[in-house]
Amino acid sequence: MKSSLLTLALLAAIGVSACDRAPVVVVPPTPVAVPGPAGPTGATGSTGNTGDQGNTGNTGATGSTGSTGATGRTGDGTTVIVVPPAASAPN
C-alpha cells in the first residue's frame, strides 16, 4: 500500500509538471515589397465651380385683423383707489 501511494504521488507530480510547457508562438513572415517600374506622380485636378444660390421664397400674406371691442360704460363720477396689500414678513 505504501509503495502504491508513493508511486501515485510521483506520477501525479510528473503529470502536473508536464503541463507547464511554454506555448509555441508562430510569427508570420513579413512581406517583402518588390520594387516595380515607378513613373512620376500625376498632377492634381482642378477644383469644381460652386453652384448658384437658390431664390428666396415669397413672403406670406398678412392675417385678418380682429373685430373692435365694444365701448365701455361711462363712469358715475366716483374715484376708486386701490391700495396694494402690505408686504408679508420675511421667513
Side-chain angles (χ1 to χ4, degrees):
M1 174 99 172
K2 287 184 180 182
S3 64
S4 64
L5 257 176
L6 181 61
T7 306
L8 185 62
L10 184 61
L11 287 175
I14 292 172
V16 171
S17 66
C19 294
D20 289 339
R21 281 195 262 164
V24 177
V25 178
V26 179
V27 180
T30 306
V32 178
V34 178
T41 303
T44 304
S46 303
T47 303
N49 295 332
T50 304
D52 295 334
Q53 186 171 0
N55 296 332
T56 304
N58 296 334
T59 304
T62 303
S64 301
T65 304
S67 303
T68 303
T71 303
R73 184 171 66 97
T74 305
D76 57 3
T78 59
T79 303
V80 178
I81 298 174
V82 179
V83 180
S88 60
N91 293 337

